Amino acid sequence: MRLGTSMDAFISRKRPRLLNPSEEAKPESSDPHEDTTDTKLAILLSLFPTIKQDELLEILVSCEGSVENAAGLLSEKGSTAGTLVSKKRAAVTSSFGMQTSLSSHILTKAEDGSMKPLNECASKKIIPLPQKGKTLHLYSPEDIATYTPCTIIHNFLPAKEANTLLLDLLDESKHFSRYDFQLFNRTVQSPHTHAVYVSTPEEHRQQTSEYTYGGTYRSNVRQVTPQLRLVSRQVQNNVNSEINKRIRDIYPGGKKLQYQSPKEWRPNAAFVNCYDGPTESVGYHSDELTYLGPHPVIGSLSLGVAREFRVRRIVARDDETAEEDQDADKTSPVPKFARNQTASAARADAQGQISIYLPHNSLLIMHAEMQEEWKHSITPAQAISPHPISGNRRINITYRWYRDTLHPRYTPRCKCGEHTILRCAQRKHETRGRYMWMCYAGFAPGKEGCSFFQWAEFDDDGDPVWGKKAILDHAPALSNFSASQ
């Protein structure tokens, strides 16, 4: 959708709709690099966060859709920050903000048949869930919390603090690396760079010699920077507040989910990812549960370039599909893993997907049901709008709480002597929701897995039930990032 010659023309076209993936792949104009109106607004909002979005939109319209002309005009006028602006006048600020909800500009049909802004009808009108093969784009925090197991907080940090952290991690990203993993007997690299951050030299030693990820040890482990530690306190407080709100307002009976920890969420590790350019991405996945335990909560802070975050429900294989798979095993010349890939993609697409935009300085909280019931990804983009500080790069920090009771010294070892991975059964109705320990060595380059499998047992608070075997060595726990503040 492109900016029109008048505000009325733009608003009349800005109704939410469900798009086919093939439709999204096509540029809406002859210029494949032309930005959408949403992107143009996001750029202006990041440059002038104190100006209301409808005022920015009006100025953008008056400049015939040119972000450069609109930004130049706003900077030229130099009005006092926070002052209401008329057409071609705006407040000036040197800080960088992020995209906010567009619901005030989206017209939808009210119950009386008239067209009203979406935010006025949100409490009364239900947005249709995405249908098979389609994508539902959500912008407002209210809609995101309603239709996904996520909470988003825009303008999470003071602008200066967000920029300082971004600069700190851009410098750190020089030391990031890609990790290798095995896929169908081929060694492939992650489509973005990353590093794992912990608090102390002892934890660094443990992370490189005891904790494994995807069946391998990670060599790129770094100690948390002062700025990363400083921000963790605010992340911790906000995540715990949102956990309590979700339990109170969303979960049945106002009670936590089974296996969800009742303890305060305390981040003691962080994965920091760098996506350098529009093609760097990460495919659909659920985060590894091995040290997080069942129903974990993750706080994800985005800095720099805005990127699209997509989520979709995990669809179980029904009995009919299972029978078809068995018949295909006997008759089809196509390799089984290729058929499984196709069937898995078809099932995953059965309910469509939801798209959430993650602008600079936004905190996304993935709540307790996310990893077991949904998959998420950062999709490649045709083009992105550079950020004033980071250029084409996006920095993402996923703060995590590793449970003391799931230290790798306690978790089972498989027959080949490797660490096992904790997974949740998701595909078969009869076992859906159960947890299992599995050998994962086959996914590590140069290794072959064994057939080890063991159902995992947890108490109601998500701590493992190790049977009669007592834990005697008292493995050291990871330090809370904000404990020393």
Side-chain angles (χ1 to χ4, degrees):
M1 167 181 38
R2 303 299 172 203
L3 191 68
T5 56
S6 72
M7 187 173 180
D8 291 338
F10 164 71
I11 291 177
S12 67
R13 295 198 307 272
K14 192 66 184 84
R15 299 170 189 167
R17 62 190 183 110
L18 298 175
L19 304 175
N20 291 313
S22 60
E23 184 181 8
E24 293 175 321
K26 298 176 182 178
E28 297 175 65
S29 74
S30 58
D31 181 3
H33 302 293
E34 183 182 349
D35 293 324
T36 65
T37 302
D38 295 348
T39 301
K40 293 177 180 180
L41 280 172
I43 296 169
L44 289 176
L45 280 163
S46 65
L47 293 170
F48 307 97
T50 61
I51 304 177
K52 292 183 179 180
Q53 186 164 299
D54 55 350
E55 294 165 349
L56 288 176
L57 177 62
E58 189 174 2
I59 292 172
L60 190 57
V61 170
S62 71
C63 293
E64 298 182 347
S66 169
V67 174
E68 183 178 358
N69 291 345
L73 182 66
L74 290 166
S75 299
E76 214 174 82
K77 296 302 177 183
S79 301
T80 304
T83 303
L84 290 178
V85 294
S86 60
K87 197 169 190 176
K88 296 191 178 181
R89 280 175 171 74
V92 173
T93 177
S94 60
S95 60
F96 303 97
M98 77 299 302
Q99 183 175 359
T100 57
S101 172
L102 294 178
S103 58
S104 61
H105 306 302
I106 302 174
L107 295 188
T108 188
K109 184 174 289 187
E111 291 182 352
D112 60 5
S114 62
M115 300 303 294
K116 294 182 179 179
L118 178 63
N119 61 350
E120 294 182 13
C121 306
S123 60
K124 300 179 182 179
K125 186 178 180 66
I126 298 176
I127 296 177
L129 292 174
Q131 300 174 3
K132 181 176 180 179
K134 296 186 178 180
T135 301
L136 173 63
H137 294 262
L138 299 180
Y139 298 94
S140 75
E142 296 79 14
D143 290 341
I144 291 167
T146 299
Y147 293 98
T148 75
C150 299
T151 299
I152 193 167
I153 302 174
H154 292 143
N155 293 316
F156 175 66
L157 298 171
K160 185 176 180 180
E161 189 173 348
N163 295 338
T164 300
L165 179 59
L166 174 57
L167 287 167
D168 180 42
L169 294 177
L170 286 172
D171 186 59
E172 284 283 305
S173 70
K174 300 172 186 175
H175 308 288
F176 290 4
S177 62
R178 303 179 191 274
Y179 58 89
D180 295 335
F181 58 97
Q182 199 80 1
L183 184 65
F184 303 133
N185 298 319
R186 293 175 53 205
T187 298
V188 296
Q189 283 194 325
S190 61
H192 63 275
T193 58
H194 90 297
V196 180
Y197 283 79
V198 290
S199 293
T200 67
E202 166 57 22
E203 291 174 11
H204 182 281
R205 185 199 64 75
Q206 289 188 60
Q207 286 287 334
T208 54
S209 62
E210 296 191 50
Y211 288 86
T212 61
Y213 301 94
T216 62
Y217 296 110
R218 292 286 165 88
S219 59
N220 198 352
V221 180
R222 302 179 63 78
Q223 283 189 236
V224 62
T225 68
Q227 196 66 27
L228 197 59
R229 184 188 295 277
L230 181 65
V231 171
S232 68
R233 170 69 72 177
Q234 298 171 68
V235 173
Q236 178 174 327
N237 292 339
N238 279 269
V239 168
N240 280 296
S241 175
E242 294 300 330
I243 289 173
N244 292 332
K245 287 180 185 177
R246 191 162 186 87
I247 292 174
R248 181 192 67 207
D249 300 336
I250 304 295
Y251 294 163
K255 297 180 180 179
K256 73 174 185 67
L257 301 182
Q258 186 182 24
Y259 307 133
Q260 183 179 1
S261 176
K263 298 178 182 177
E264 181 184 22
W265 183 84
R266 308 184 312 276
N268 51 19
F271 283 26
V272 182
N273 304 299
C274 178
Y275 299 85
D276 189 357
T279 61
E280 295 213 343
S281 60
V282 62
Y284 271 109
H285 67 285
S286 296
D287 290 332
E288 193 172 313
L289 301 175
T290 307
Y291 310 119
L292 302 173
H295 285 151
V297 176
I298 294 176
S300 178
L301 180 59
S302 293
L303 301 167
V305 163
R307 291 293 296 270
E308 190 176 1
F309 179 77
R310 291 195 175 189
V311 300
R312 68 186 186 198
R313 284 187 180 275
I314 296 169
V315 180
R317 179 190 294 114
D318 57 29
D319 295 336
E320 182 180 353
T321 303
E323 291 175 4
E324 290 176 356
D325 288 347
Q326 291 173 4
D327 291 340
D329 288 344
K330 302 173 184 177
T331 60
S332 176
V334 180
K336 184 176 180 180
F337 76 81
R339 293 200 308 276
N340 287 344
Q341 269 194 309
T342 303
S344 177
R347 287 192 303 276
D349 198 34
Q351 294 185 7
Q353 56 189 348
I354 293 174
S355 174
I356 301 169
Y357 287 89
L358 300 180
H360 171 65
N361 195 14
S362 59
L363 178 70
L364 183 83
I365 300 164
M366 293 186 278
H367 286 286
E369 63 271 45
M370 180 73 172
Q371 307 308 325
E372 281 88 341
E373 300 175 19
W374 296 68
K375 289 185 181 291
H376 57 279
S377 71
I378 296 292
T379 59
Q382 289 187 355
I384 54 178
S385 299
H387 186 269
I389 293 178
S390 67
N392 287 336
R393 289 174 289 177
R394 170 183 181 255
I395 295 290
N396 168 241
I397 313 158
T398 58
Y399 287 93
R400 300 159 185 250
W401 175 29
Y402 283 16
R403 296 204 191 199
D404 301 348
T405 53
L406 286 170
H407 191 281
R409 295 183 190 177
Y410 304 150
T411 57
R413 295 292 184 101
C414 59
K415 296 175 183 177
C416 57
E418 300 290 339
H419 292 271
T420 54
I421 185 173
L422 178 65
R423 305 189 73 178
C424 181
Q426 300 167 325
R427 294 303 184 192
K428 295 183 179 179
H429 290 292
E430 61 269 24
T431 57
R432 188 176 173 90
R434 291 193 67 181
Y435 297 89
M436 51 196 171
W437 295 104
M438 299 178 64
C439 176
Y440 216 61
F443 289 86
K447 295 182 179 180
E448 292 186 9
C450 64
S451 59
F452 180 88
F453 174 91
Q454 177 183 310
W455 287 115
E457 300 296 335
F458 296 92
D459 63 22
D460 192 60
D461 292 337
D463 286 318
V465 178
W466 299 116
K468 296 181 180 180
K469 180 181 177 181
I471 298 174
L472 300 176
D473 60 349
H474 300 293
L478 298 182
S479 304
N480 181 2
F481 273 172
S482 58
S484 63
Q485 294 182 31

